[in-house]
C-alpha cells in the first residue's frame, strides 16, 4: 500500500502538490499562531507591569491578576505549549528540506557549470557570435533591472533567525572586490565543503575550460556525473511540498499574516521586473539593432513561445516549440538549430532577476546589513554569471541564490531559507521566469538572423 502511495505521489503534479503544501502549512500556522496569541497577550501585559513595578513574574501574577485571570493564564499557557509543539514538529520537515538543498547545492553548481563548458559546442555559424553576445547582454541587463526594482520596492521577510543575525555590511566596493578575489582562489575542496559559491564557480569555469579538449570518454564521464547529480536534485525537489509545508507553518506560526504579505510583495516585484525586461529592455535591444518597431516580433514570440514555456516550466522542453517558431518565421536553420538549444543553457534573464531580487531580499531582511548601489551593481555580474549556470534542473536559479548572498557575507543557513521561500512562490515565479527565458531565445535568434545577412 505504501508503495502505491509513493508511486502516485511521484507521478503527481508537483505544482498542485506544492499548492496543497502551502495551504496545509498556512492552516496549521494560523491555528497554532492564534492558539498562542492569548498567552502572548497576557505575557506582554505581565512584562509591562513588571518593567514598571520591578516585581518578579510570580509577584505580578499574585498582586495584579485576579483568580480568573490567573486561571486563564494557566489555560492559555497549556494551549500555547501544545501549539508550539505542533509548529516545531512541522518545522522539522522544512529544516530537513533546507538541509538537503544546502548539502547538494555546491556539488550541483560545480558539476553543472563545469559540464556545460566542457560539452557545449558554441558553433562557428555566421551570426552565432552576435546571438551569444545578445544572450549575455540581455542576462546582465535583466539583473540590472532586478537590482533597480529591489531598491525602488525593497522587500523584507520575517524568517527564523534573521533579527539576531550578526553580520556587517560590506565596507565599500573595494573591500567587496578584495573579498571576492580571496573567495575565488580558496581551495576547491574547502569551497565545496564551506559553500563558497564564488570559489565553486571559479573552479568550475577553470576546470571546464581546461577539459574542453579532453577525450570523448572523459566528457561522457562528466555528462554521466551531471545526469546523476541532476537526478538527486530532482528527487529532493519532489519532496518540496513537505518542506514548504513545514516552512510555511512555522513562518505563519511566528509572524501571522505578516509573512504572507511579504510573500505577495516579493511575487509582485519579481514578476514586475520580468515584465519590464520582456516589454521594455529586450524590445529596446531589438530596436537598437534593427531600427524597426520591435513589438510585432516580441508579441509573436510571447504568444507562441512564452505561453507554452509558462506551463511546461522548462526551457529544454520548450525547444521543439521554439524550433517550429523559428522555421515559421523563416530564420536560418543552420543558425537556430544551434542557438535555440544554446539559449536554453545560457540565455537566463529570468534567472538573473530571481537571483538578484532574492539575494537583495535577504539583505533587506537582515537589520545589520546595508548595501550601496555600487555593491548591488557588482551583484549584477555575479547574478548574470550564476544564471548562465542555472540551467539543466528545475529550480536551478533558486539554488544559485546562496552564490549571490555570499557576496554580502550572508551565511548558507540563512540563504537557504530564502531558497525555500523561492520554492514556495515558484508556482508563479518559475513559470514567468521560464516564459521570459525561452521566448527571448527566438527573439534574439530572429534579430541575429536578420542583421547577419
Amino acid at each position: 500500500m505504501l508503495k502505491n502511495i509513493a508511486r502516485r505521489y511521484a507521478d503527481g503534479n508537483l505544482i498542485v502538490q506544492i499548492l496543497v503544501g502551502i495551504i496545509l502549512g498556512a492552516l496549521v500556522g494560523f491555528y497554532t499562531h492564534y492558539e498562542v496569541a492569548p498567552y502572548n497577550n497576557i505575557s506582554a501585559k505581565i512584562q509591562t507591569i513588571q518593567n514598571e513595578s520591578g516585581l518578579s513574574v510570580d509577584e505580578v501574577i499574585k498582586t495584579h491578576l485576579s483568580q480568573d485571570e490567573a486561571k486563564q493564564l494557566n489555560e492559555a499557557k497549556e494551549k500555547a505549549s501544545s501549539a508550539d509543539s505542533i509548529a516545531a514538529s512541522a518545522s522539522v520537515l522544512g529544516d530537513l528540506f533546507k538541509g538537503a538543498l544546502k548539502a547538494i547545492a555546491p556539488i550541483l553548481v560545480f558539476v553543472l557549470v563545469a559540464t556545460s563548458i566542457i560539452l557545449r559546442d558554441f558553433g562557428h555559424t555566421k551570426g552565432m557570435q552576435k546571438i551569444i553576445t545578445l544572450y549575455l547582454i540581455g542576462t546582465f541587463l535583466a539583473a540590472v533591472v532586478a537590482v533597480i526594482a529591489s531598491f525602488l520596492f525593497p522587500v523584507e521577510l520575517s524568517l527564523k533567525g534573521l533579527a539576531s543575525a550578526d553580520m556587517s555590511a560590506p565596507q565599500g566596493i573595494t573591500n567587496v572586490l578584495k573579498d571576492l578575489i580571496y573567495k575565488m582562489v580558496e581551495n576547491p575542496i574547502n569551497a565545496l565543503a564551506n559553500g563558497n559559491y564564488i570559489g565553486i564557480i571559479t573552479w568550475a569555469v577553470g576546470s571546464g575550460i581546461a577539459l574542453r579538449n579532453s577525450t570523448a570518454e572523459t566528457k561522457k564521464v562528466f555528462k554521466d556525473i551531471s545526469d546523476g547529480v541532476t537526478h538527486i536534485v530532482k528527487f529532493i525537489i519532489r519532496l518540496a511540498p513537505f518542506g514548504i509545508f513545514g516552512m510555511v507553518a512555522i513562518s505563519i506560526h511566528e509572524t501571522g499574516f505578516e509573512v504572507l504579505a511579504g510573500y505577495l510583495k516579493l511575487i509582485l516585484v519579481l514578476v514586475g521586473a520580468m515584465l519590464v525586461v520582456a516589454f521594455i529592455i529586450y524590445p529596446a535591444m531589438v530596436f537598437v539593432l534593427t531600427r524597426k518597431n520591435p513589438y510585432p516580433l516580441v508579441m509573436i514570440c510571447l504568444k507562441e513561445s512564452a505561453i507554452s514555456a509558462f506551463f511546461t516550466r522548462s526551457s529544454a522542453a520548450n525547444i521543439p516549440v521554439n524550433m517550429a517558431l523559428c522555421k515559421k518565421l523563416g530564420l536560418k536553420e543552420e543558425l537556430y538549430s544551434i542557438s535555440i538549444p544554446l539559449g536554453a543553457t545560457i540565455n537566463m534573464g529570468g534567472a538573473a532577476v530571481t537571483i538578484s531580487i532574492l539575494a537583495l531580499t535577504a539583505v533587506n531582511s537582515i537589520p545589520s546589513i546595508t548595501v550601496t548601489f555600487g555593491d548591488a551593481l557588482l551583484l549584477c555580474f555575479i547574478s548574470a554569471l550564476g544564471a548562465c549556470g542555472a540551467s539543466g534542473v528545475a529550480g536551478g536559479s533558486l539554488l544559485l541564490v546562496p552564490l549571490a548572498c555570499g557576496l554580502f557575507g550572508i551565511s548558507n543557513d540563512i540563504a537557504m531559507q530564502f531558497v525555500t521561500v523561492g520554492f514556495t512562490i515558484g508556482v508563479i515565479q518559475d513559470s514567468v521566469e521560464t516564459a521570459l527565458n525561452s521566448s527571448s531565445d527566438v527573439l534574439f535568434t530572429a534579430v541575429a538572423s536578420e542583421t547577419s545577412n
Side-chain angles (χ1 to χ4, degrees):
M1 181 178 176
L2 290 176
K3 186 180 292 186
N4 290 333
I5 293 174
R7 185 181 295 110
R8 290 184 64 183
Y9 174 81
D11 295 336
N13 188 306
L14 183 61
I15 296 176
V16 174
Q17 292 168 346
I18 288 176
L19 284 174
V20 171
I22 292 172
I23 293 170
L24 292 178
L27 291 175
V28 171
F30 281 128
Y31 169 75
T32 57
H33 177 77
Y34 287 108
E35 284 289 289
V36 170
Y39 177 71
N40 289 340
N41 292 335
I42 298 174
S43 296
K45 179 181 176 181
I46 292 174
Q47 183 67 45
T48 301
I49 297 172
Q50 186 181 10
N51 292 337
E52 294 174 350
S53 64
L55 300 174
S56 67
V57 174
D58 291 337
E59 289 173 334
V60 170
I61 293 174
K62 290 179 181 179
T63 58
H64 289 77
L65 296 185
S66 64
Q67 289 185 348
D68 289 340
E69 287 177 326
K71 183 178 179 181
Q72 290 175 1
L73 175 62
N74 290 330
E75 292 176 351
K77 185 175 182 180
E78 291 179 4
K79 288 184 177 180
S81 177
S82 177
D84 286 337
S85 177
I86 293 172
S89 298
S91 71
V92 170
L93 295 174
D95 292 340
L96 288 173
F97 179 64
K98 184 177 69 176
L101 290 175
K102 180 182 175 183
I104 196 63
I107 300 172
L108 173 73
V109 171
F110 180 86
V111 170
L112 283 186
V113 173
T115 303
S116 177
I117 295 173
I118 292 169
L119 300 180
R120 181 59 56 195
D121 181 8
F122 292 99
H124 301 285
T125 303
K126 185 179 180 182
M128 274 305 303
Q129 183 175 358
K130 181 174 289 187
I131 291 177
I132 293 173
T133 302
L134 286 171
Y135 285 168
L136 297 179
I137 291 175
T139 300
F140 173 74
L141 291 179
V144 172
V145 169
V147 167
I148 293 173
S150 291
F151 270 78
L152 292 177
F153 308 102
V155 180
E156 297 181 18
L157 296 179
S158 299
L159 298 178
K160 189 177 179 180
L162 296 187
S164 60
D166 184 17
M167 299 176 186
S168 58
Q171 300 299 311
I173 192 68
T174 303
N175 284 345
V176 172
L177 289 172
K178 184 178 71 174
D179 291 341
L180 186 65
I181 292 172
Y182 284 141
K183 288 179 179 179
M184 290 171 67
V185 296
E186 184 179 10
N187 181 291
I189 305 300
N190 290 340
L192 285 168
N194 298 328
N196 171 13
Y197 288 88
I198 305 295
I200 292 168
I201 286 281
T202 302
W203 286 105
V205 171
S207 301
I209 294 172
L211 292 169
R212 273 188 63 81
N213 295 322
S214 59
T215 63
E217 290 78 9
T218 300
K219 292 182 178 180
K220 187 177 185 303
V221 169
F222 274 89
K223 179 65 169 60
D224 292 341
I225 293 174
S226 177
D227 291 343
V229 173
T230 298
H231 284 308
I232 294 174
V233 174
K234 287 180 178 178
F235 172 77
I236 293 173
I237 291 176
R238 287 300 312 183
L239 301 177
F242 296 100
I244 289 170
F245 163 79
M247 289 292 292
V248 171
I250 192 64
S251 296
I252 294 178
H253 169 73
E254 293 176 346
T255 62
F257 283 105
E258 181 182 347
V259 69
L260 292 184
Y263 283 5
L264 178 59
K265 185 177 180 181
L266 178 59
I267 291 172
L268 292 175
V269 174
L270 277 167
V271 173
M274 292 181 194
L275 290 177
V276 168
V277 173
F279 287 100
I280 298 178
I281 301 302
Y282 287 171
M285 293 173 63
V286 173
F287 176 77
V288 168
L289 290 174
T290 64
R291 299 297 175 180
K292 295 179 181 178
N293 180 4
Y295 287 99
L297 178 59
V298 168
M299 296 311 296
I300 289 174
C301 293
L302 292 176
K303 178 182 176 182
E304 301 199 23
S305 174
I307 292 176
S308 62
F310 181 90
F311 290 104
T312 62
R313 299 171 70 210
S314 169
S315 294
N318 211 47
I319 287 176
V321 176
N322 283 349
M323 290 281 201
L325 178 55
C326 288
K327 185 175 182 179
K328 180 179 178 180
L329 293 172
L331 307 184
K332 301 173 184 177
E333 184 176 357
E334 67 273 15
L335 189 63
Y336 70 72
S337 63
I338 299 174
S339 69
I340 296 302
L342 178 64
T345 303
I346 68 171
N347 183 29
M348 293 287 157
V353 170
T354 297
I355 294 169
S356 299
I357 289 180
L358 280 176
L360 288 176
T361 298
V363 169
N364 294 333
S365 302
I366 299 174
S368 60
I369 298 183
T370 55
V371 179
T372 66
F373 189 78
D375 298 329
L377 197 60
L378 181 60
L379 172 65
C380 297
F381 292 97
I382 300 297
S383 297
L385 175 64
C388 292
S391 65
V393 62
S397 61
L398 297 175
L399 296 178
L400 269 295
V401 171
L403 165 68
C405 288
L407 183 66
F408 305 108
I410 297 174
S411 68
N412 285 335
D413 286 336
I414 290 178
M416 279 302 167
Q417 290 193 55
F418 288 89
V419 172
T420 308
V421 169
F423 279 109
T424 303
I425 64 173
V427 174
I428 298 174
Q429 166 267 325
D430 195 33
S431 296
V432 178
E433 176 185 313
T434 306
L436 174 63
N437 292 341
S438 191
S439 61
S440 60
D441 294 346
V442 179
L443 181 67
F444 292 147
T445 298
V447 172
S449 181
E450 178 181 343
T451 57
S452 297
N453 290 329

